[in-house]
Structure formats: structure tokens, C-alpha cells
Amino acid sequence: MPDFIQTRLEALGLIDDDIVSLLENIGTVFETYSEPSRRENAEIKEKFENGVKDVYSSLSSIAIGLRNEIKIMDENIGVFDKNEDLVMILPISVEQKNTTLGVQKQKLELLKLKDA
């Protein structure tokens, strides 16, 4: 029987596989619809629509999986009796550092996008 940590790692591994699948689907969609001359073909349009559906399905699956994992992690922070393996996740504090530099970089990137 797998323990709590192994189960969480396996669940995150499945989410990782879904992310790889999502990226492949996005690549297929762009590849299918990238050439203007191919856009008029009904078969290509159908392939594009199916690809977009696959992208949204993958996004939904990833979002649900990540939400579930976050919920499980939140439930186990600071307590050891929430799972059968008595694993406690220690709380961590996350501090933002040098936010001014991040804001400056973000503004520069936005200006570049506007100019493009």
C-alpha cells in the first residue's frame, strides 16, 4: 500500500503528464491551422475544432487535479492526524523580495508587446 507522500507524488506525476499532453495538443492545433491556404479545407477546420476541444479538456483536467492537490496539502499543514500515514506538512512562509524590480520588468515587457 503506497504511503501518503508516494500517493501525492504519483498524483502530481499524472498532472505533469496532463501538462505534457496539453502542450502537445496546443502544438498540434497551431500546426494544423498555421498555413492560411489550409484554413479553407473543411477537414482541417474539423481537426482544429477537435484540437481546441482537447486543449480545453486538458486544461480542465489539470486545473481540477491541481485544486485537489492544493486542498489535500492545505488540510495536512500543521496536523498529523488528517491522513492514515500520520504525515504532517510543515507550514512555510513565502516572502516577496525585490518586487520593485519585478514591476519594472513587467512594465518593460508590456511596452514591448504594445510596440509589436
Side-chain angles (χ1 to χ4, degrees):
M1 173 181 272
D3 63 352
F4 178 77
I5 295 171
Q6 185 63 38
T7 305
R8 300 288 46 88
L9 290 173
E10 289 171 2
L12 290 172
L14 292 174
I15 293 170
D16 188 48
D17 292 342
D18 286 345
I19 292 171
V20 170
S21 174
L22 169 70
L23 294 174
E24 289 172 352
N25 289 339
I26 290 172
T28 302
V29 166
F30 282 118
E31 185 178 302
T32 301
Y33 210 63
S34 63
E35 295 179 27
S37 61
R38 297 176 66 183
R39 291 184 189 163
E40 302 305 319
N41 188 338
E43 181 182 324
I44 298 299
K45 286 183 179 183
E46 183 178 335
K47 200 173 180 182
F48 177 77
E49 288 173 3
N50 290 336
V52 170
K53 287 178 186 175
D54 290 343
V55 166
Y56 281 112
S57 175
S58 295
L59 278 173
S60 175
S61 174
I62 291 166
I64 290 169
L66 287 173
R67 271 191 232 116
N68 287 339
E69 288 305 308
I70 290 169
K71 181 179 181 247
I72 291 169
M73 298 295 268
D74 281 345
E75 289 173 350
N76 287 277
I77 289 177
V79 295
F80 65 89
D81 59 349
K82 291 287 185 173
N83 57 71
E84 60 189 42
D85 295 321
L86 303 177
V87 173
M88 177 173 53
I89 299 172
L90 297 175
I92 60 168
S93 62
V94 178
E95 297 177 24
Q96 290 186 351
K97 296 182 181 177
N98 202 355
T99 56
T100 305
L101 181 61
V103 170
Q104 289 172 353
K105 284 186 176 183
Q106 181 183 18
K107 286 179 182 178
L108 284 173
E109 291 299 320
L110 289 172
L111 286 173
K112 287 180 188 177
L113 286 172
K114 286 180 182 178
D115 292 340

